[in-house]
Amino acid sequence: MSAAAGSAPAAQGVWADIVGQKPTVDMLSRLAAGDPRQLAQSWLICGPPGSGRSNMARAFAAALECPDHGCGRCDACRHILAGTHPDVTVLATDRVTIGIDQVRDLIATSEQTPSTAPWRVIIVEDVDRMLERTTNVLLKEIEEPSEHTIWMLCAPSAQDVLPTIRSRCRIVNLAVPSNATVADFLTRSAGVEPKIAQRAARLAEGHIGVAKLYATQDQVMADRDELIVGVLNLAKASDAVLLAGRLIDDANAQAQRDVEARVAAEEADFRRINGLAEKDRIPPALRGAFNAIGKKDEVRRRATRRSRDVLDRALNSVASVYRDVAVLQNNAEDAVGLINLENRAAITELSVRLDRAGAVRRLEEIGTARRRLFGNGNPTLVFEALFCALIP
């Protein structure tokens, strides 16, 4: 196959919303259109948060199942990208870890013959959330997949996955999209004004999902601005306590909004799939399944998990302050630029007050806070301790 033929789909069809990954898209496009006997059946797609690894997996699955190798228009492409294709299963969890029973269910599904498509594709998002004993259950299937099954595992890096798994997969490494690429995507796909898109892309540091949040949700951007100002103004322990309290409140509020919006969307999908209008009563036979979508315990658990994600994003924002401090201390602004340009004066002052070891130590404190947070530490105590440690 010629390079021209292989690269044609890169900006079209199922690949249209893949941002900043042209070399990988070209390669996967060629493979999807090539000899299926030469195709690896176990894949590990790696990339930093926000690089689009799960979107890449879905697009690759669509290209494999589509008669035209990813046209984006046929039923196969549309159903796969919408998550409703019977032969493509996606395991996405909002829990801290992926359970062993979930993996056993996936394995049972993987052994079934595809119903309508050439392949049965199993996509596992965040495979790094598997405990070792769960990973061992998956190992044999990854090593010897069923004849018509393709596994696509997603993780931040190959090092986040056990060697026994990664050694049996073909690894695809995604790049961090450039700010210009992300800004162009926001302008093109979401109609965001160029100046807002450029700022959102810069503050998101290549994370496409976060950039879209900043560009389209004023409150999320305002919360970040308040956090950065609060960190730069830390002077005493009471400042740290108050800032931690505001951050936790903001994270909980955002998480609740996000989960409620997700529940509403899932309820609307349930009605559409079952042929029910918005105001129709739910038939008794479907009531249990419908009520399970908005079950209070489930909503609370999802909100807790989402709150942790928001707080993790806050840690990235705090780290960006000390990254900028280090850039100024090393006279590297012309080479790499600042993330928090709007706060340049205050960051310059902080770069003079701290020595280089002080800036590095604060980045280490942020790493410690992240480990505590995802080790089920109390979020309020984690951030109070962190902000106290950041006081100059």
Side-chain angles (χ1 to χ4, degrees), residues 197-244:
Q198 290 162 13
R199 184 185 181 216
R202 168 168 48 83
L203 296 181
E205 302 177 67
H207 192 304
I208 300 164
V210 172
K212 191 170 184 178
L213 273 178
Y214 288 156
T216 59
Q217 297 191 24
D218 292 342
Q219 187 59 55
V220 175
M221 181 71 87
D223 289 345
R224 185 193 189 279
D225 290 342
E226 182 180 357
L227 173 62
I228 297 301
V229 171
V231 169
L232 290 169
N233 287 335
L234 286 171
K236 51 187 184 295
S238 59
D239 295 335
V241 172
L242 290 173
L243 181 59

Side-chain angles (χ1 to χ4, degrees), residues 52-371:
R53 53 185 185 253
S54 60
N55 289 338
M56 181 70 78
R58 286 177 170 84
F60 187 27
L64 289 170
E65 306 286 41
C66 171
D68 292 324
H69 312 300
C71 67
R73 300 181 302 274
C74 68
D75 286 344
C77 288
R78 289 189 290 106
H79 281 298
I80 290 170
L81 297 183
T84 56
H85 195 284
D87 294 325
V88 178
T89 302
V90 180
L91 175 59
T93 184
D94 53 8
R95 299 182 179 181
V96 175
T97 60
I98 294 174
I100 196 168
D101 289 339
Q102 293 175 288
V103 173
R104 285 175 176 151
D105 289 344
L106 279 184
I107 291 171
T109 300
S110 76
E111 293 174 349
Q112 299 171 8
T113 302
S115 57
T116 63
W119 299 98
R120 181 166 294 280
V121 180
I122 310 292
I123 299 172
V124 183
E125 297 183 3
D126 302 314
V127 72
D128 52 304
R129 292 188 187 179
M130 283 188 191
L131 299 177
E132 184 171 355
R133 66 189 185 95
T134 305
T135 305
N136 288 335
V137 172
L138 180 63
L139 180 59
K140 188 175 186 302
E141 291 296 322
I142 294 299
E143 187 174 18
E144 299 178 3
S146 298
E147 183 180 359
H148 296 289
T149 297
I150 291 180
W151 287 85
M152 298 184 190
L153 313 180
C154 303
S157 72
Q159 287 67 40
D160 291 312
V161 180
L162 288 178
T164 50
I165 290 289
R166 67 173 181 256
S167 65
R168 290 162 172 80
C169 296
R170 178 165 178 177
I171 299 174
V172 174
N173 289 305
L174 303 186
V176 177
S178 69
N179 289 349
T181 301
V182 175
D184 177 69
F185 172 73
L186 294 174
T187 301
R188 175 171 48 85
S189 67
V192 178
E193 293 181 10
K195 286 186 177 180
I196 295 174
Q198 290 162 13
R199 184 185 181 216
R202 168 168 48 83
L203 296 181
E205 302 177 67
H207 192 304
I208 300 164
V210 172
K212 191 170 184 178
L213 273 178
Y214 288 156
T216 59
Q217 297 191 24
D218 292 342
Q219 187 59 55
V220 175
M221 181 71 87
D223 289 345
R224 185 193 189 279
D225 290 342
E226 182 180 357
L227 173 62
I228 297 301
V229 171
V231 169
L232 290 169
N233 287 335
L234 286 171
K236 51 187 184 295
S238 59
D239 295 335
V241 172
L242 290 173
L243 181 59
R246 290 198 301 271
L247 174 60
I248 299 300
D249 288 345
D250 290 344
N252 289 339
Q254 184 183 332
Q256 192 64 38
R257 290 194 304 269
D258 291 349
V259 170
E260 288 174 355
R262 179 74 176 270
V263 168
E266 290 176 359
E267 289 178 344
D269 284 344
F270 184 94
R271 287 180 174 276
R272 177 181 54 78
I273 291 169
N274 289 283
L276 300 171
E278 182 180 356
K279 301 298 183 181
D280 288 351
R281 290 176 61 86
I282 305 295
L286 300 176
R287 201 166 294 154
F290 181 80
N291 291 339
I293 297 173
K295 190 177 180 181
K296 287 184 178 180
D297 288 345
E298 179 69 10
V299 169
R300 183 165 58 250
R301 182 182 61 77
R302 292 169 69 174
T304 298
R305 174 65 202 176
R306 180 60 183 147
S307 177
R308 296 295 173 104
D309 291 341
V310 175
L311 292 174
D312 184 58
R313 186 173 73 239
L315 288 172
N316 290 336
S317 298
V318 175
S320 73
V321 170
Y322 299 97
R323 177 266 187 197
D324 285 350
V325 166
V327 167
L328 292 178
Q329 289 175 336
N330 290 282
N331 297 316
E333 184 178 3
D334 289 342
V336 299
L338 296 182
I339 295 169
N340 300 286
L341 274 176
E342 296 78 10
N343 308 94
R344 189 183 189 286
I347 289 173
T348 301
E349 181 183 345
L350 184 59
S351 71
V352 174
R353 295 173 66 190
L354 294 178
D355 57 20
R356 294 185 182 184
V360 171
R361 186 167 61 251
R362 282 159 176 79
L363 287 169
E364 291 172 348
E365 292 286 354
I366 295 167
T368 298
R370 177 172 276 112
R371 289 192 295 273

